[in-house]
Amino acid sequence: MGASGQRKRRAGKGTQATRETQVLRQLPCCSISPVFLVDPASGLILEANAKAEALSGRPAAELLRLDIRELFAPDDAGRIASRLRNPDLTAAVTLPELRLLASNA
């Protein structure tokens, strides 16, 4: 394959990644479940929907300044850290697995 073909293939991958990012960014607003979209490298919450606000007792402006680990019981930190190191976008973390802290905790 020539240089032109390689550039096109790389450009196609970039376009697909951009589409996936756009879909992920739209997910919180469209879901009937609480959704926290998290940067796996830093743990920072990038997006949170209204259900996530209600569940956490925190407004979106506050959630978007937090590391996701700050929302959960200290005993769950290991599982959260493991999920951030090895993100599997096909497997959601369900609430029965983790204990969310109250906003006044």
Side-chain angles (χ1 to χ4, degrees):
M1 176 183 302
S4 175
Q6 288 174 345
R7 277 193 299 273
K8 286 180 184 176
R9 195 170 74 203
R10 271 189 244 125
K13 287 182 181 178
T15 302
Q16 180 181 354
T18 301
R19 280 193 302 264
E20 289 172 358
T21 299
Q22 290 170 343
V23 168
L24 286 174
R25 290 249 180 215
Q26 292 172 357
L27 179 65
C29 74
C30 303
S31 178
I32 61 170
S33 298
V35 175
F36 298 92
L37 183 60
V38 177
D39 174 17
S42 67
L44 293 176
I45 299 171
L46 303 174
E47 298 285 337
N49 66 359
K51 295 284 188 178
E53 289 181 73
L55 178 70
S56 68
R58 294 172 172 86
E62 182 180 340
L63 288 172
L64 299 181
R65 295 190 311 258
L66 295 177
D67 182 306
I68 190 70
R69 292 167 281 217
E70 294 177 64
L71 294 179
F72 294 93
D75 293 350
D76 292 332
R79 283 191 284 173
I80 294 169
S82 174
R83 290 299 293 267
L84 290 173
R85 280 191 307 273
N86 304 300
D88 178 359
L89 297 179
T90 63
V93 175
T94 58
L95 289 177
E97 295 178 37
L98 302 171
R99 293 163 292 148
L100 191 68
L101 296 174
S103 62
N104 59 0

